[in-house]
Amino acid sequence: MELSTSFDMLVIPGVEVSTSEGYHVVCLFRNLEAASLFQSVLEKYLNKKTYDKDLYGYQQILDVNDEIIDEIDYHLSPNSNLDVKTLSREVKKIGGILIFAHPHKYKNLEISDEFINYFDGIEINKKDPNHIYNKLKKNFNNSDAHQI
């Protein structure tokens, strides 16, 4: 958050969660306090599998000066134990929003109205064969870039 003032940029605190069904959901919050509160909820649902630094490299948390302030010793990629319904309830309880990420990556995805109603938006992509983004009015286009 400190960088947002240094570089005059908008920072929206959030996290991409892998659900127990294997879906990726971007959860966004109004402020860092709400995001931190969600992180404490999310911790209870994480599958903290051993992380092999030699195989995958380091998972480090850096400060504004690129100094290492912490290191995560469990794998961040596995699915959580949160299903979409529970994730939606927990995020909305804190005032956050949910965006269904990468829908084009799920082959043969059948989207019910009940399922899609858990989300506030959906990432759209020309590769999406199902055009499921038509079910929501709030669509987001994303490069999925992991660097600025």
Side-chain angles (χ1 to χ4, degrees):
M1 295 301 285
E2 289 177 52
L3 286 175
S4 67
T5 56
S6 301
F7 291 97
D8 191 31
M9 71 171 75
L10 173 65
V11 174
I12 302 172
V15 62
E16 184 170 325
V17 176
S18 296
T19 68
S20 59
E21 302 97 339
Y23 301 122
H24 291 188
V25 180
V26 175
C27 306
L28 301 175
F29 301 92
R30 290 189 179 275
N31 54 48
L32 192 55
E33 292 76 25
S36 295
L37 181 58
F38 177 70
Q39 182 62 37
S40 66
V41 171
L42 183 59
E43 286 288 328
K44 295 183 274 187
Y45 293 97
L46 294 178
N47 290 315
K48 295 188 176 182
K49 296 181 179 179
T50 305
Y51 183 77
D52 186 345
K53 294 176 200 173
D54 294 329
L55 181 61
Y56 299 110
Y58 295 94
Q59 297 182 137
Q60 300 169 330
I61 299 174
L62 309 177
D63 67 12
V64 70
N65 299 311
D66 289 337
E67 297 293 327
I68 299 169
I69 58 172
D70 202 359
E71 188 172 322
I72 307 297
D73 60 356
Y74 56 88
H75 207 294
L76 292 173
S77 295
N79 294 350
S80 68
N81 291 315
L82 269 169
D83 59 31
V84 170
K85 182 178 181 178
T86 306
L87 176 63
S88 177
R89 184 182 65 240
E90 294 291 349
V91 168
K92 291 180 187 240
K93 223 189 302 188
I94 301 169
I97 65 169
L98 294 92
I99 300 169
F100 186 33
H102 331 304
H104 63 281
K105 292 185 178 181
Y106 309 108
K107 298 205 182 333
N108 303 318
L109 179 64
E110 294 294 326
I111 298 294
S112 68
D113 288 338
E114 178 186 1
F115 178 83
I116 208 66
N117 284 330
Y118 293 126
F119 302 98
D120 300 290
I122 190 165
E123 176 187 11
I124 60 172
N125 186 299
K126 291 178 184 175
K127 297 177 190 172
D128 178 15
N130 301 313
H131 303 291
I132 61 175
Y133 50 82
N134 290 328
K135 292 188 178 233
L136 278 177
K137 292 182 175 149
K138 298 173 185 169
N139 301 317
F140 299 85
N141 202 339
N142 178 17
S143 69
D144 202 26
H146 290 248
Q147 295 183 32
I148 294 177

Short mmCIF file of all heavy atoms in Angstrom, two decimals, residues 115-142:
data_model
loop_
_atom_site.label_atom_id
_atom_site.label_comp_id
_atom_site.label_asym_id
_atom_site.label_seq_id
_atom_site.Cartn_x
_atom_site.Cartn_y
_atom_site.Cartn_z
N PHE A 115 -24.94 -20.77 -9.53
CA PHE A 115 -23.48 -20.66 -9.46
C PHE A 115 -23.03 -19.24 -9.82
O PHE A 115 -22.26 -18.63 -9.09
CB PHE A 115 -22.83 -21.68 -10.39
CG PHE A 115 -21.32 -21.61 -10.43
CD1 PHE A 115 -20.57 -22.25 -9.47
CD2 PHE A 115 -20.67 -20.90 -11.43
CE1 PHE A 115 -19.18 -22.19 -9.50
CE2 PHE A 115 -19.28 -20.84 -11.48
CZ PHE A 115 -18.54 -21.49 -10.50
N ILE A 116 -23.50 -18.71 -10.90
CA ILE A 116 -23.04 -17.42 -11.38
C ILE A 116 -23.45 -16.29 -10.44
O ILE A 116 -22.77 -15.27 -10.34
CB ILE A 116 -23.49 -17.16 -12.84
CG1 ILE A 116 -22.50 -16.24 -13.54
CG2 ILE A 116 -24.88 -16.61 -12.92
CD1 ILE A 116 -21.15 -16.82 -13.76
N ASN A 117 -24.53 -16.49 -9.69
CA ASN A 117 -24.98 -15.46 -8.75
C ASN A 117 -24.07 -15.29 -7.55
O ASN A 117 -24.21 -14.32 -6.81
CB ASN A 117 -26.41 -15.73 -8.30
CG ASN A 117 -27.41 -15.38 -9.38
OD1 ASN A 117 -27.18 -14.49 -10.19
ND2 ASN A 117 -28.52 -16.10 -9.40
N TYR A 118 -23.12 -16.19 -7.36
CA TYR A 118 -22.14 -16.02 -6.28
C TYR A 118 -21.14 -14.91 -6.62
O TYR A 118 -20.43 -14.42 -5.75
CB TYR A 118 -21.38 -17.31 -6.01
CG TYR A 118 -22.24 -18.41 -5.43
CD1 TYR A 118 -22.29 -19.66 -6.03
CD2 TYR A 118 -23.01 -18.20 -4.28
CE1 TYR A 118 -23.07 -20.68 -5.50
CE2 TYR A 118 -23.79 -19.20 -3.75
CZ TYR A 118 -23.82 -20.44 -4.36
OH TYR A 118 -24.60 -21.43 -3.84
N PHE A 119 -21.06 -14.53 -7.90
CA PHE A 119 -20.02 -13.60 -8.36
C PHE A 119 -20.58 -12.22 -8.65
O PHE A 119 -21.72 -12.07 -9.07
CB PHE A 119 -19.34 -14.17 -9.61
CG PHE A 119 -18.74 -15.52 -9.38
CD1 PHE A 119 -19.41 -16.66 -9.75
CD2 PHE A 119 -17.51 -15.63 -8.77
CE1 PHE A 119 -18.87 -17.91 -9.52
CE2 PHE A 119 -16.95 -16.88 -8.53
CZ PHE A 119 -17.64 -18.02 -8.91
N ASP A 120 -19.71 -11.22 -8.48
CA ASP A 120 -20.06 -9.84 -8.81
C ASP A 120 -19.58 -9.49 -10.21
O ASP A 120 -20.00 -8.48 -10.77
CB ASP A 120 -19.40 -8.88 -7.80
CG ASP A 120 -19.89 -9.17 -6.40
OD1 ASP A 120 -21.07 -8.89 -6.12
OD2 ASP A 120 -19.11 -9.71 -5.58
N GLY A 121 -18.71 -10.30 -10.76
CA GLY A 121 -18.19 -10.07 -12.09
C GLY A 121 -17.50 -11.31 -12.60
O GLY A 121 -17.31 -12.29 -11.88
N ILE A 122 -17.14 -11.28 -13.86
CA ILE A 122 -16.48 -12.42 -14.49
C ILE A 122 -15.43 -11.88 -15.46
O ILE A 122 -15.65 -10.88 -16.13
CB ILE A 122 -17.51 -13.33 -15.20
CG1 ILE A 122 -16.87 -14.63 -15.64
CG2 ILE A 122 -18.19 -12.61 -16.34
CD1 ILE A 122 -17.88 -15.70 -16.00
N GLU A 123 -14.30 -12.54 -15.49
CA GLU A 123 -13.25 -12.16 -16.44
C GLU A 123 -13.66 -12.67 -17.82
O GLU A 123 -14.02 -13.84 -17.97
CB GLU A 123 -11.92 -12.79 -16.02
CG GLU A 123 -10.81 -12.52 -16.99
CD GLU A 123 -9.54 -13.30 -16.66
OE1 GLU A 123 -9.58 -14.21 -15.81
OE2 GLU A 123 -8.52 -12.99 -17.27
N ILE A 124 -13.63 -11.79 -18.80
CA ILE A 124 -13.99 -12.23 -20.15
C ILE A 124 -12.73 -12.43 -20.98
O ILE A 124 -11.69 -11.83 -20.72
CB ILE A 124 -14.94 -11.24 -20.85
CG1 ILE A 124 -14.30 -9.86 -20.99
CG2 ILE A 124 -16.26 -11.17 -20.13
CD1 ILE A 124 -15.12 -8.89 -21.83
N ASN A 125 -12.85 -13.30 -21.94
CA ASN A 125 -11.73 -13.65 -22.78
C ASN A 125 -12.28 -14.17 -24.10
O ASN A 125 -13.24 -14.93 -24.11
CB ASN A 125 -10.88 -14.73 -22.08
CG ASN A 125 -9.62 -15.04 -22.82
OD1 ASN A 125 -9.66 -15.48 -23.96
ND2 ASN A 125 -8.50 -14.85 -22.17
N LYS A 126 -11.66 -13.79 -25.19
CA LYS A 126 -12.14 -14.23 -26.51
C LYS A 126 -12.06 -15.74 -26.67
O LYS A 126 -12.73 -16.31 -27.52
CB LYS A 126 -11.33 -13.55 -27.61
CG LYS A 126 -11.60 -12.07 -27.70
CD LYS A 126 -10.75 -11.42 -28.76
CE LYS A 126 -10.96 -9.93 -28.75
NZ LYS A 126 -10.10 -9.22 -29.66
N LYS A 127 -11.24 -16.39 -25.84
CA LYS A 127 -11.10 -17.84 -25.94
C LYS A 127 -12.26 -18.58 -25.27
O LYS A 127 -12.35 -19.79 -25.36
CB LYS A 127 -9.80 -18.28 -25.25
CG LYS A 127 -8.55 -17.75 -25.89
CD LYS A 127 -7.35 -18.19 -25.08
CE LYS A 127 -6.10 -17.50 -25.53
NZ LYS A 127 -4.96 -17.77 -24.66
N ASP A 128 -13.13 -17.85 -24.59
CA ASP A 128 -14.22 -18.48 -23.86
C ASP A 128 -15.23 -19.11 -24.83
O ASP A 128 -15.98 -18.39 -25.48
CB ASP A 128 -14.91 -17.45 -22.96
CG ASP A 128 -16.08 -18.03 -22.20
OD1 ASP A 128 -16.19 -19.27 -22.14
OD2 ASP A 128 -16.87 -17.25 -21.68
N PRO A 129 -15.27 -20.43 -24.91
CA PRO A 129 -16.18 -21.07 -25.86
C PRO A 129 -17.63 -21.05 -25.40
O PRO A 129 -18.53 -21.21 -26.19
CB PRO A 129 -15.67 -22.50 -25.91
CG PRO A 129 -15.08 -22.73 -24.55
CD PRO A 129 -14.50 -21.39 -24.14
N ASN A 130 -17.86 -20.84 -24.11
CA ASN A 130 -19.21 -20.93 -23.58
C ASN A 130 -19.93 -19.60 -23.53
O ASN A 130 -21.13 -19.56 -23.31
CB ASN A 130 -19.17 -21.50 -22.15
CG ASN A 130 -18.54 -22.86 -22.10
OD1 ASN A 130 -18.87 -23.72 -22.90
ND2 ASN A 130 -17.61 -23.06 -21.19
N HIS A 131 -19.20 -18.53 -23.71
CA HIS A 131 -19.77 -17.19 -23.61
C HIS A 131 -20.55 -17.02 -22.30
O HIS A 131 -21.60 -16.41 -22.26
CB HIS A 131 -20.66 -16.87 -24.81
CG HIS A 131 -19.93 -17.01 -26.11
ND1 HIS A 131 -18.93 -16.14 -26.48
CD2 HIS A 131 -20.01 -17.94 -27.08
CE1 HIS A 131 -18.45 -16.52 -27.64
NE2 HIS A 131 -19.07 -17.60 -28.04
N ILE A 132 -20.00 -17.59 -21.23
CA ILE A 132 -20.69 -17.50 -19.95
C ILE A 132 -20.69 -16.09 -19.41
O ILE A 132 -21.49 -15.76 -18.55
CB ILE A 132 -20.07 -18.47 -18.92
CG1 ILE A 132 -18.61 -18.14 -18.67
CG2 ILE A 132 -20.27 -19.90 -19.34
CD1 ILE A 132 -17.98 -18.97 -17.58
N TYR A 133 -19.83 -15.24 -19.96
CA TYR A 133 -19.81 -13.86 -19.49
C TYR A 133 -21.11 -13.13 -19.81
O TYR A 133 -21.41 -12.10 -19.25
CB TYR A 133 -18.61 -13.10 -20.05
CG TYR A 133 -18.42 -13.21 -21.53
CD1 TYR A 133 -19.14 -12.41 -22.42
CD2 TYR A 133 -17.52 -14.12 -22.05
CE1 TYR A 133 -18.97 -12.52 -23.78
CE2 TYR A 133 -17.34 -14.24 -23.43
CZ TYR A 133 -18.07 -13.43 -24.28
OH TYR A 133 -17.90 -13.54 -25.62
N ASN A 134 -21.91 -13.68 -20.71
CA ASN A 134 -23.20 -13.05 -21.01
C ASN A 134 -24.18 -13.16 -19.84
O ASN A 134 -25.17 -12.46 -19.81
CB ASN A 134 -23.82 -13.70 -22.25
CG ASN A 134 -23.05 -13.35 -23.50
OD1 ASN A 134 -22.48 -12.27 -23.60
ND2 ASN A 134 -23.01 -14.27 -24.44
N LYS A 135 -23.88 -14.04 -18.88
CA LYS A 135 -24.78 -14.22 -17.75
C LYS A 135 -24.62 -13.13 -16.70
O LYS A 135 -25.45 -13.01 -15.82
CB LYS A 135 -24.56 -15.59 -17.11
CG LYS A 135 -24.98 -16.73 -18.01
CD LYS A 135 -24.93 -18.04 -17.26
CE LYS A 135 -25.41 -19.14 -18.17
NZ LYS A 135 -26.45 -19.93 -17.60
N LEU A 136 -23.53 -12.37 -16.77
CA LEU A 136 -23.31 -11.30 -15.81
C LEU A 136 -23.21 -9.96 -16.51
O LEU A 136 -22.69 -9.88 -17.62
CB LEU A 136 -21.99 -11.53 -15.03
CG LEU A 136 -22.03 -12.48 -13.87
CD1 LEU A 136 -20.64 -12.63 -13.27
CD2 LEU A 136 -22.98 -12.00 -12.78
N LYS A 137 -23.64 -8.93 -15.87
CA LYS A 137 -23.55 -7.61 -16.47
C LYS A 137 -22.18 -6.97 -16.23
O LYS A 137 -21.77 -6.09 -16.96
CB LYS A 137 -24.64 -6.72 -15.91
CG LYS A 137 -26.02 -7.16 -16.36
CD LYS A 137 -27.09 -6.25 -15.85
CE LYS A 137 -28.41 -6.70 -16.44
NZ LYS A 137 -29.54 -6.50 -15.65
N LYS A 138 -21.48 -7.39 -15.19
CA LYS A 138 -20.19 -6.80 -14.84
C LYS A 138 -19.07 -7.71 -15.33
O LYS A 138 -18.82 -8.76 -14.75
CB LYS A 138 -20.10 -6.58 -13.35
CG LYS A 138 -21.16 -5.63 -12.84
CD LYS A 138 -21.15 -5.55 -11.34
CE LYS A 138 -22.31 -4.69 -10.89
NZ LYS A 138 -22.52 -4.77 -9.46
N ASN A 139 -18.41 -7.32 -16.40
CA ASN A 139 -17.35 -8.12 -16.98
C ASN A 139 -16.02 -7.41 -16.86
O ASN A 139 -15.95 -6.19 -16.92
CB ASN A 139 -17.64 -8.41 -18.46
CG ASN A 139 -18.94 -9.13 -18.65
OD1 ASN A 139 -19.25 -10.05 -17.91
ND2 ASN A 139 -19.72 -8.70 -19.61
N PHE A 140 -14.95 -8.17 -16.73
CA PHE A 140 -13.61 -7.63 -16.61
C PHE A 140 -12.72 -8.31 -17.64
O PHE A 140 -12.78 -9.52 -17.79
CB PHE A 140 -13.03 -7.89 -15.21
CG PHE A 140 -13.84 -7.25 -14.13
CD1 PHE A 140 -14.94 -7.90 -13.59
CD2 PHE A 140 -13.50 -6.00 -13.66
CE1 PHE A 140 -15.70 -7.30 -12.59
CE2 PHE A 140 -14.25 -5.40 -12.66
CZ PHE A 140 -15.36 -6.05 -12.12
N ASN A 141 -11.91 -7.54 -18.33
CA ASN A 141 -10.95 -8.12 -19.24
C ASN A 141 -9.59 -7.98 -18.60
O ASN A 141 -9.29 -6.95 -18.01
CB ASN A 141 -10.98 -7.42 -20.60
CG ASN A 141 -10.41 -8.30 -21.68
OD1 ASN A 141 -9.66 -9.23 -21.40
ND2 ASN A 141 -10.78 -8.04 -22.91
N ASN A 142 -8.77 -8.98 -18.69
CA ASN A 142 -7.53 -9.03 -17.94
C ASN A 142 -6.46 -9.70 -18.78
O ASN A 142 -6.72 -10.67 -19.46
CB ASN A 142 -7.78 -9.84 -16.65
CG ASN A 142 -6.55 -10.01 -15.82
OD1 ASN A 142 -5.57 -9.31 -15.99
ND2 ASN A 142 -6.60 -10.96 -14.91
#
